[in-house]
Amino acid sequence: MASFTCFTAVRNDPILREFKLLRTKHLPHDFYVPLGSHVSLFAGCGFGYDPKANVYKHVIIFGSDDFRFPVALVCTMGTRDSVRLIKISVECNSCCPDSKGVYLKGAYYWWNGTSLVDSILCFDMSEEKFHGIPLPDELIRKSKRLEVWNESLILFLALKCSCSSSTFEMWVMVDDSAGVKGSTYWRKHLTTGPLFCIYFPLAFWKDDELLLETRDGRIVSYNLYTQKLRNVPLPGALYPGLTSASLCLKSLVSV
C-alpha cells in the first residue's frame, strides 16, 4: 500500500481572511494498477473553483514509476469535505505534469511532458474529467511555460536563451469548451526580445505588464507596448529557474 499523505495550506481572498489546512488520507489499496506496478509518485496538483457547485476543489495527481496509469484525488471543500478517486482517461495515459499549473474559467491546466507525449493536461472542475489538449508541431519539444493572460491560456516558448540575451514567443490558446478534443487551436500572439540578462517569463500581473526573472536573481517588469523594463522591489531566486509567481484573485466564496 502506498504511504503518501498530502498537506496543503489554502488561503482565500484577503477580504475574508480565511485559510484552511487540507489533509488527505493515505492512498487506498485500489490505487494498485495492472502489470505489477502501483501508483505511488506525486505528479502534480492544482486548486480551483467549481462555478456550478459554488465550491473550491483541490486535485492531486499520482502516477507509477514510468508515469503510466495516472490517477487523481479530487478533494471538494465545503461544510463536509469529500475526497474522490478518479482514474485519468486513456487519452492522457502517460502523465508527467509540470509542477506549476494555472487555473482559468473553471478548469485547471498543466503542461504535460513525457517521452511519449507533449501536450496540455486539463481538468474540468465541474465535470471532474481530464482532457488532453494537443500542441502544434512548432511548440513540441521546446522549453515552455504555461500562464494566463487577459482571460486566455498562453504558452511562453523559448526561441533563444543565452547568458547575454533571450527571445520568447507568446502563443494564445483559442478554446471554448475546456479542452474537448478538436475544439482548440493555438495562435502566435507576439515575439519578445532580445532582452538582456533575462532568464524566463514568470507571470502577467497586469494585462500589459509581464514579470520576468533575470539571470542575476532580480525580478523585473516588462511592458508589452512600450517594450521597456523596470526593476521590481521583490527578492528573486539564488539560481535562475527557481522563482515562480502566482496571482491572487479576489473571491467572496468561503473555503
Side-chain angles (χ1 to χ4, degrees):
M1 179 177 179
S3 59
F4 283 86
T5 303
C6 296
F7 298 86
T8 301
V10 179
R11 183 175 178 83
N12 198 20
D13 186 89
I15 295 177
L16 297 181
R17 298 180 181 275
E18 291 184 355
F19 72 92
K20 188 171 187 177
L21 183 65
L22 178 64
R23 176 176 178 173
T24 62
K25 299 178 180 179
H26 293 285
L27 302 187
H29 288 285
D30 57 5
F31 270 58
Y32 283 84
V33 295
L35 303 179
S37 180
H38 63 87
V39 174
S40 61
L41 295 179
F42 171 80
C45 65
F47 178 77
Y49 175 64
D50 177 353
K52 292 184 179 179
N54 198 35
V55 294
Y56 289 103
K57 293 181 179 180
H58 183 242
V59 55
I60 310 167
I61 300 173
F62 295 91
S64 55
D65 293 344
D66 54 3
F67 298 105
R68 299 175 62 201
F69 310 109
V71 294
L73 282 178
V74 179
C75 310
T76 300
M77 304 174 66
T79 54
R80 290 187 177 181
D81 296 346
S82 65
V83 179
R84 191 162 79 90
L85 170 66
I86 295 178
K87 292 185 178 181
I88 299 177
S89 64
V90 177
E91 178 187 1
C92 307
N93 199 36
S94 183
C95 187
C96 183
D98 189 54
S99 58
K100 181 181 182 296
V102 295
Y103 170 82
L104 176 67
K105 297 179 181 177
Y108 203 89
Y109 300 87
W110 301 264
W111 171 56
N112 183 36
T114 70
S115 59
L116 300 177
V117 296
D118 196 0
S119 62
I120 303 298
L121 182 65
C122 169
F123 178 73
D124 188 304
M125 290 284 173
S126 298
E127 299 296 328
E128 294 191 352
K129 293 182 179 179
F130 285 89
H131 305 287
I133 304 174
L135 297 176
D137 292 341
E138 52 265 55
L139 298 184
I140 294 177
R141 300 303 172 207
K142 294 181 179 179
S143 298
K144 57 185 73 71
R145 177 166 290 170
L146 196 64
E147 291 295 341
V148 172
W149 170 75
N150 199 23
E151 296 189 350
S152 296
L153 191 69
I154 64 168
L155 272 173
F156 284 112
L157 182 69
L159 294 183
K160 177 186 177 182
C161 291
S162 65
C163 294
S164 58
S165 65
S166 300
T167 303
F168 310 98
E169 284 182 349
M170 174 179 160
W171 289 70
V172 180
M173 187 184 76
V174 181
D175 172 39
D176 295 322
S177 53
V180 174
K181 186 176 181 180
S183 66
T184 65
Y185 64 93
W186 295 84
R187 181 181 67 240
K188 184 167 69 172
H189 181 69
L190 57 82
T191 300
T192 301
L195 299 175
F196 176 73
C197 198
I198 298 299
Y199 181 75
F200 215 84
L202 291 176
F204 280 97
W205 67 286
K206 294 180 181 179
D207 287 346
D208 58 348
E209 291 282 340
L210 175 64
L211 292 179
L212 304 169
E213 180 185 7
T214 69
R215 292 186 176 276
D216 57 1
R218 293 176 297 114
I219 304 298
V220 297
S221 181
Y222 176 77
N223 188 285
L224 298 182
Y225 301 109
T226 65
Q227 299 183 359
K228 292 183 177 180
L229 291 168
R230 65 182 180 88
N231 287 324
V232 178
L234 294 173
L238 295 178
Y239 302 99
L242 298 182
T243 302
S244 63
S246 298
L247 297 182
C248 178
L249 301 178
K250 293 182 179 181
S251 174
L252 294 177
V253 180
S254 175
V255 296

Short mmCIF file of all heavy atoms in Angstrom, two decimals, residues 226-253:
data_model
loop_
_atom_site.label_atom_id
_atom_site.label_comp_id
_atom_site.label_asym_id
_atom_site.label_seq_id
_atom_site.Cartn_x
_atom_site.Cartn_y
_atom_site.Cartn_z
N THR A 226 5.28 49.45 -24.48
CA THR A 226 6.43 50.35 -24.53
C THR A 226 7.73 49.59 -24.73
O THR A 226 8.75 50.17 -25.07
CB THR A 226 6.53 51.18 -23.25
OG1 THR A 226 6.78 50.31 -22.14
CG2 THR A 226 5.23 51.95 -23.02
N GLN A 227 7.71 48.26 -24.44
CA GLN A 227 8.89 47.40 -24.54
C GLN A 227 10.02 47.87 -23.63
O GLN A 227 11.20 47.73 -23.96
CB GLN A 227 9.36 47.30 -26.00
CG GLN A 227 8.33 46.71 -26.94
CD GLN A 227 8.84 46.57 -28.35
OE1 GLN A 227 9.97 46.93 -28.67
NE2 GLN A 227 8.00 46.03 -29.23
N LYS A 228 9.64 48.40 -22.48
CA LYS A 228 10.63 48.87 -21.51
C LYS A 228 10.62 47.99 -20.26
O LYS A 228 9.59 47.47 -19.85
CB LYS A 228 10.34 50.33 -21.12
CG LYS A 228 10.57 51.31 -22.26
CD LYS A 228 10.35 52.74 -21.79
CE LYS A 228 10.64 53.73 -22.91
NZ LYS A 228 10.43 55.14 -22.47
N LEU A 229 11.81 47.84 -19.66
CA LEU A 229 11.98 47.08 -18.43
C LEU A 229 12.14 48.02 -17.24
O LEU A 229 12.71 49.10 -17.36
CB LEU A 229 13.24 46.20 -18.52
CG LEU A 229 13.20 45.02 -19.51
CD1 LEU A 229 14.61 44.47 -19.68
CD2 LEU A 229 12.26 43.94 -19.02
N ARG A 230 11.62 47.59 -16.09
CA ARG A 230 11.85 48.33 -14.85
C ARG A 230 12.00 47.36 -13.71
O ARG A 230 11.38 46.28 -13.69
CB ARG A 230 10.71 49.32 -14.57
CG ARG A 230 9.37 48.69 -14.29
CD ARG A 230 8.32 49.79 -14.07
NE ARG A 230 7.01 49.23 -13.80
CZ ARG A 230 6.57 48.93 -12.58
NH1 ARG A 230 7.36 49.10 -11.54
NH2 ARG A 230 5.36 48.44 -12.40
N ASN A 231 12.84 47.69 -12.75
CA ASN A 231 13.08 46.83 -11.60
C ASN A 231 11.86 46.79 -10.69
O ASN A 231 11.17 47.80 -10.49
CB ASN A 231 14.29 47.32 -10.81
CG ASN A 231 15.59 47.03 -11.53
OD1 ASN A 231 15.74 46.01 -12.19
ND2 ASN A 231 16.55 47.95 -11.40
N VAL A 232 11.60 45.62 -10.11
CA VAL A 232 10.52 45.43 -9.15
C VAL A 232 11.16 45.09 -7.81
O VAL A 232 11.99 44.18 -7.74
CB VAL A 232 9.56 44.31 -9.59
CG1 VAL A 232 8.47 44.10 -8.56
CG2 VAL A 232 8.95 44.64 -10.94
N PRO A 233 10.80 45.79 -6.73
CA PRO A 233 11.44 45.55 -5.42
C PRO A 233 10.98 44.25 -4.77
O PRO A 233 10.36 44.24 -3.71
CB PRO A 233 11.03 46.77 -4.60
CG PRO A 233 9.72 47.18 -5.20
CD PRO A 233 9.83 46.91 -6.67
N LEU A 234 11.27 43.13 -5.43
CA LEU A 234 10.93 41.81 -4.90
C LEU A 234 12.19 40.95 -4.90
O LEU A 234 13.00 41.04 -5.83
CB LEU A 234 9.87 41.13 -5.76
CG LEU A 234 8.47 41.76 -5.79
CD1 LEU A 234 7.60 41.04 -6.82
CD2 LEU A 234 7.82 41.68 -4.42
N PRO A 235 12.37 40.11 -3.89
CA PRO A 235 13.55 39.22 -3.90
C PRO A 235 13.41 38.17 -4.98
O PRO A 235 12.33 37.61 -5.19
CB PRO A 235 13.53 38.60 -2.50
CG PRO A 235 12.09 38.68 -2.08
CD PRO A 235 11.54 39.94 -2.69
N GLY A 236 14.48 37.88 -5.66
CA GLY A 236 14.46 36.85 -6.69
C GLY A 236 15.03 35.55 -6.18
O GLY A 236 15.12 35.32 -4.98
N ALA A 237 15.43 34.68 -7.10
CA ALA A 237 15.99 33.38 -6.74
C ALA A 237 17.51 33.45 -6.71
O ALA A 237 18.13 34.27 -7.36
CB ALA A 237 15.54 32.32 -7.75
N LEU A 238 18.11 32.57 -5.92
CA LEU A 238 19.57 32.49 -5.91
C LEU A 238 20.09 31.91 -7.22
O LEU A 238 21.16 32.26 -7.68
CB LEU A 238 20.02 31.62 -4.73
CG LEU A 238 19.73 32.17 -3.34
CD1 LEU A 238 20.19 31.18 -2.27
CD2 LEU A 238 20.42 33.51 -3.13
N TYR A 239 19.29 31.03 -7.81
CA TYR A 239 19.67 30.42 -9.08
C TYR A 239 18.52 30.59 -10.07
O TYR A 239 17.36 30.41 -9.70
CB TYR A 239 19.98 28.93 -8.90
CG TYR A 239 21.08 28.67 -7.91
CD1 TYR A 239 20.79 28.30 -6.60
CD2 TYR A 239 22.42 28.79 -8.28
CE1 TYR A 239 21.80 28.06 -5.69
CE2 TYR A 239 23.44 28.56 -7.37
CZ TYR A 239 23.13 28.20 -6.08
OH TYR A 239 24.12 27.97 -5.18
N PRO A 240 18.81 30.91 -11.31
CA PRO A 240 17.75 31.07 -12.31
C PRO A 240 16.92 29.80 -12.44
O PRO A 240 17.44 28.69 -12.41
CB PRO A 240 18.53 31.36 -13.60
CG PRO A 240 19.84 31.91 -13.16
CD PRO A 240 20.14 31.20 -11.87
N GLY A 241 15.60 29.98 -12.56
CA GLY A 241 14.71 28.85 -12.72
C GLY A 241 14.03 28.40 -11.44
O GLY A 241 13.18 27.52 -11.47
N LEU A 242 14.38 29.01 -10.29
CA LEU A 242 13.81 28.60 -9.02
C LEU A 242 12.70 29.54 -8.54
O LEU A 242 12.14 29.35 -7.47
CB LEU A 242 14.89 28.51 -7.94
CG LEU A 242 15.98 27.47 -8.19
CD1 LEU A 242 16.95 27.44 -7.02
CD2 LEU A 242 15.38 26.09 -8.42
N THR A 243 12.40 30.57 -9.30
CA THR A 243 11.39 31.54 -8.91
C THR A 243 10.08 31.24 -9.62
O THR A 243 10.07 30.86 -10.79
CB THR A 243 11.83 32.97 -9.27
OG1 THR A 243 13.07 33.24 -8.62
CG2 THR A 243 10.80 33.99 -8.82
N SER A 244 8.97 31.39 -8.91
CA SER A 244 7.65 31.25 -9.52
C SER A 244 6.76 32.38 -9.02
O SER A 244 7.03 32.98 -7.97
CB SER A 244 7.01 29.89 -9.21
OG SER A 244 6.78 29.76 -7.82
N ALA A 245 5.71 32.66 -9.76
CA ALA A 245 4.78 33.73 -9.39
C ALA A 245 3.36 33.26 -9.63
O ALA A 245 3.07 32.60 -10.62
CB ALA A 245 5.05 35.00 -10.22
N SER A 246 2.46 33.58 -8.67
CA SER A 246 1.05 33.23 -8.79
C SER A 246 0.24 34.44 -8.40
O SER A 246 0.55 35.13 -7.43
CB SER A 246 0.69 32.04 -7.89
OG SER A 246 1.41 30.89 -8.25
N LEU A 247 -0.83 34.70 -9.15
CA LEU A 247 -1.68 35.84 -8.88
C LEU A 247 -2.80 35.44 -7.90
O LEU A 247 -3.31 34.33 -7.95
CB LEU A 247 -2.31 36.37 -10.16
CG LEU A 247 -1.33 36.90 -11.21
CD1 LEU A 247 -2.11 37.45 -12.41
CD2 LEU A 247 -0.45 37.99 -10.63
N CYS A 248 -3.16 36.36 -7.01
CA CYS A 248 -4.24 36.16 -6.07
C CYS A 248 -5.47 36.91 -6.56
O CYS A 248 -5.45 38.14 -6.69
CB CYS A 248 -3.84 36.65 -4.68
SG CYS A 248 -5.16 36.49 -3.44
N LEU A 249 -6.56 36.17 -6.88
CA LEU A 249 -7.78 36.76 -7.38
C LEU A 249 -8.78 36.92 -6.24
O LEU A 249 -8.93 36.04 -5.38
CB LEU A 249 -8.39 35.89 -8.48
CG LEU A 249 -7.49 35.65 -9.69
CD1 LEU A 249 -8.21 34.74 -10.68
CD2 LEU A 249 -7.10 36.96 -10.35
N LYS A 250 -9.49 38.03 -6.23
CA LYS A 250 -10.49 38.30 -5.19
C LYS A 250 -11.66 37.34 -5.31
O LYS A 250 -12.10 37.00 -6.41
CB LYS A 250 -10.97 39.74 -5.29
CG LYS A 250 -9.92 40.79 -4.96
CD LYS A 250 -10.50 42.18 -5.03
CE LYS A 250 -9.46 43.23 -4.69
NZ LYS A 250 -10.03 44.60 -4.75
N SER A 251 -12.18 36.89 -4.17
CA SER A 251 -13.33 36.00 -4.16
C SER A 251 -14.06 36.15 -2.83
O SER A 251 -13.44 36.30 -1.78
CB SER A 251 -12.89 34.54 -4.35
OG SER A 251 -14.00 33.68 -4.19
N LEU A 252 -15.40 36.08 -2.88
CA LEU A 252 -16.20 36.12 -1.68
C LEU A 252 -16.76 34.75 -1.33
O LEU A 252 -17.60 34.61 -0.45
CB LEU A 252 -17.36 37.10 -1.86
CG LEU A 252 -16.96 38.58 -2.00
CD1 LEU A 252 -18.16 39.44 -2.26
CD2 LEU A 252 -16.19 39.07 -0.78
N VAL A 253 -16.28 33.71 -2.02
CA VAL A 253 -16.70 32.33 -1.72
C VAL A 253 -15.82 31.78 -0.62
O VAL A 253 -14.60 31.72 -0.75
CB VAL A 253 -16.61 31.44 -2.98
CG1 VAL A 253 -17.05 30.01 -2.64
CG2 VAL A 253 -17.48 32.01 -4.09
#
